[in-house]
């Protein structure tokens, strides 16, 4: 994993533009501990921001446009006009996030000003750790710093989501942007996606979050994701509800015969996952891993059997971590699915045995190379001026 820090980003900006930046905005990626595919059903999620993320260094200019350099795409650079109406750029698809965010900010009346931007990050791509949301949140901080305007974290999250839904074309929920904007050090956030309120749930000091990338490239993510979303909407409509949040599990179970089997199972995942997420937050608040581990295990089974978003390799990885944890580690797939990462929560003293088990058995049994990330629950997006020497 790339080791990035403000000094390095500062140097990269100087190399690209010939002078130092005025400031650097940072926004984290996230890992979701539980509550998968519940956000767009207006349910509960329990994510934590992590210590991997995106950096956007910036400096104001008197131009009527932005000049943006993508350090991680061979230093490719684009010019983006400061206007509501934006066009997608097929030659530099990374810049669509910038264009989408500029368009949304402008449409909603935020002030924008010319400037130079250098973007870089260290979230492994395609891992399901929200590199896009982190880029959106860092960009919004940098752009408003350039213009001298302000924004609250919830509006920043909604603008990032709108850019992604309406401009980039991914029908994601609000979880990733909200946790990247609002994350808190050493805490996960229990977010109610209906009213967007959140409660910090502090991580017991001797617990660790271990993320293991399965090495499986996420395939079919967008089409399968959008299909799951439509199936959930269909289930809600059956009950005359605007979202599955309004539907009770007993009513769903009673209507099994009237729904398409897939639609029924997708809805059952969402309703049971909401209940599990609230219980998981309570178990974490009590520091009770023996209670948390079976809840995370049930979440994985529900994603595997009812929502059908796991892969055989991911199932193997989760089973391996659960066995190695001997009841003291919670483990489940995290994120949208179809590849990507598994998350484990365990006492510090148990983590080495989890890592050993992954190293000894995962590649041998699946042929996929794992990437192990020991993550820390971290702060949400922030911005710092660069002190000129
Ligand atoms: C992706 C989306 C989120 C959420 C998760 C699944 O990360 O961006 O909004 O729906 O999948 O929980």
């Amino acid at each position: 994993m790339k080791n990035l820090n403000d000094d390095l980003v500062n140097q990269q900006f100087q190399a690209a533009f010939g002078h130092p930046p005025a400031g650097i905005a940072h926004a984290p990626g996230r890992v979701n501990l539980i509550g998968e595919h519940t956000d767009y059903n207006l349910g509960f999620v329990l994510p934590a921001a992590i210590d991997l993320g995106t950096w956007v260094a910036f400096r104001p200019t008197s131009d009527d446009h932005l000049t943006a350099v993508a350090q991680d795409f061979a230093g490719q650079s684009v010019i983006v006009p400061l206007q509501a109406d934006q066009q997608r750029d097929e030659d530099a698809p990374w810049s669509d996030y910038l264009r989408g965010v500029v368009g949304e900010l402008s449409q909603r009346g935020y002030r924008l000003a010319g400037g130079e931007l250098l973007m870089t990050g260290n979230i492994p791509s395609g891992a399901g750790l929200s590199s896009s949301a982190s880029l959106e949140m860092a960009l919004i901080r940098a752009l408003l710093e350039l213009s001298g305007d302000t924004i609250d974290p919830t509006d920043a999250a909604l603008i990032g989501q709108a850019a992604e839904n309406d401009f980039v074309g991914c029908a994601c929920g609000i979880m990733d942007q909200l946790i990247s904007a609002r994350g808190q050090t050493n805490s996960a956030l229990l977010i109610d996606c209906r009213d967007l309120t959140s409660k910090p749930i502090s991580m017991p000091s001797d617990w660790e979050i271990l993320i293991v990338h399965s090495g499986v490239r996420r395939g079919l993510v967008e089409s399968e994701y959008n299909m799951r979303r439509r199936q959930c909407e269909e289930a809600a409509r059956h009950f005359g509800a605007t979202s599955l949040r309004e539907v009770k599990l007993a009513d769903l179970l009673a209507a099994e015969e009237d729904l398409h089997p897939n639609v029924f199972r997708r809805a059952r995942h969402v309703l049971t996952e909401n209940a599990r997420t609230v219980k998981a937050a309570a178990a974490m608040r009590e520091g009770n891993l023996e209670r948390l581990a079976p809840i995370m295990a049930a979440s994985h089974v529900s994603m595997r059997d009812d929502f059908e978003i796991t892969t055989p390799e991911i199932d193997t990885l989760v089973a391996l971590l659960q066995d190695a944890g001997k009841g003291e580690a919670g483990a489940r797939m995290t994120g949208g699915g179809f590849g990507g990462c598994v998350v484990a929560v365990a006492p510090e003293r148990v983590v080495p045995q989890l890592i050993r088990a992954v190293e000894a058995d995962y590649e041998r049994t699946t042929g996929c190379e794992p990437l192990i990330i020991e993550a820390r629950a971290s702060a949400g997006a922030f911005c710092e001026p660069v002190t000129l020497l």
Side-chain angles (χ1 to χ4, degrees):
M1 216 116 36
K2 237 191 326 174
N3 206 350
L4 267 177
N5 54 48
D6 281 4
D7 281 348
L8 207 58
V9 177
N10 189 337
Q11 284 164 28
Q12 291 169 345
F13 187 98
Q14 298 210 35
F17 292 106
H19 43 234
I24 301 180
H26 173 77
R30 65 100 186 92
V31 64
N32 191 18
L33 302 183
I34 192 165
E36 224 62 83
H37 288 260
T38 45
D39 61 351
Y40 55 80
N41 290 300
L42 307 190
F44 294 96
V45 292
L46 185 64
I50 56 174
D51 49 341
L52 297 175
T54 305
W55 281 253
V56 176
F58 57 88
R59 186 181 179 99
T61 62
S62 51
D63 303 330
D64 59 357
H65 60 254
L66 297 157
T67 305
V69 170
Q71 183 72 23
D72 305 331
F73 289 86
Q76 191 179 15
S77 115
V78 295
I79 304 260
V80 176
L82 297 170
Q83 61 195 38
D85 182 29
Q86 296 283 332
Q87 304 301 317
R88 289 183 65 164
D89 184 346
E90 279 172 21
D91 297 328
W94 56 267
S95 73
D96 287 344
Y97 293 94
L98 172 60
R99 295 172 199 275
V101 157
V102 167
E104 283 294 332
L105 284 169
S106 167
Q107 275 167 42
R108 295 174 195 221
Y110 287 92
R111 268 200 316 277
L112 289 168
E116 295 162 336
L117 302 172
L118 177 124
M119 298 139 68
T120 185
N122 60 0
I123 303 177
S125 75
L129 299 176
S130 293
S131 54
S132 332
S134 132
L135 172 60
E136 291 149 19
M137 294 307 98
L139 282 170
I140 291 174
R141 293 301 298 249
L143 293 176
L144 294 189
E145 207 65 37
L146 278 175
S147 71
D149 211 342
T150 54
I151 192 166
D152 83 75
T154 306
D155 288 334
L158 289 166
I159 285 177
Q161 184 197 19
E164 205 155 328
N165 288 175
D166 304 336
F167 191 74
V168 180
C170 167
C172 65
I174 190 66
M175 166 171 70
D176 305 348
Q177 288 82 3
L178 261 190
I179 187 67
S180 180
R182 280 194 197 156
Q184 293 191 18
T185 314
N186 298 329
S187 289
L189 289 189
L190 176 64
I191 304 177
D192 180 341
C193 298
R194 179 157 63 182
D195 60 12
L196 305 186
T197 53
S198 55
K199 294 192 190 92
I201 311 287
S202 65
M203 284 277 296
S205 57
D206 62 334
W207 288 17
E208 268 197 31
I209 301 175
L210 185 74
I211 301 170
V212 185
H213 190 331
S214 63
V216 180
R217 278 206 70 77
R218 296 192 310 152
L220 299 173
V221 187
E222 250 161 52
S223 57
E224 291 288 342
Y225 184 96
N226 293 348
M227 191 197 294
R228 296 299 181 284
R229 196 169 171 156
R230 281 199 304 276
Q231 290 167 328
C232 292
E233 285 160 4
E234 187 181 328
R237 265 198 311 277
H238 176 82
F239 294 96
T242 46
S243 79
L244 279 178
R245 179 66 180 277
E246 294 160 41
V247 178
K248 297 212 167 19
L249 183 59
D251 293 339
L252 174 71
L253 297 178
E256 179 168 3
E257 301 291 303
D258 308 328
L259 291 164
H260 184 285
N262 282 351
V263 170
F264 170 76
R265 286 184 297 123
R266 305 302 186 239
R268 182 168 61 187
H269 164 75
V270 172
L271 298 195
T272 55
E273 183 79 347
N274 275 334
R276 280 188 293 270
T277 303
V278 172
K279 282 191 193 138
M284 192 164 142
R285 194 180 276 127
E286 289 164 13
N288 189 339
L289 249 173
E290 277 164 23
R291 249 184 81 199
L292 180 61
I295 300 173
M296 290 179 74
S299 167
H300 187 80
V301 168
S302 180
M303 290 191 287
R304 185 191 65 200
D305 298 345
D306 272 357
F307 223 63
E308 295 184 280
I309 52 173
T310 70
T311 70
E313 297 84 355
I314 296 257
D315 295 339
T316 302
L317 184 52
V318 166
L320 210 148
L321 287 162
Q322 286 167 344
D323 288 351
K326 301 191 172 65
E328 287 195 276
R332 56 183 286 283
M333 187 190 76
T334 182
F338 309 103
C341 290
V342 161
V343 62
V345 179
E348 249 162 33
R349 65 185 162 70
V350 171
V351 170
Q353 77 206 40
L354 301 184
I355 295 178
R356 270 198 304 277
V358 172
E359 287 174 346
D361 294 329
Y362 179 66
E363 190 165 359
R364 190 174 56 75
T365 46
T366 64
C368 298
E369 194 184 337
L371 172 67
I372 295 173
I373 303 167
E374 290 182 70
R376 300 165 75 92
S378 303
F382 59 89
C383 193
E384 279 174 332
V386 168
T387 323
L388 299 180
L389 298 174

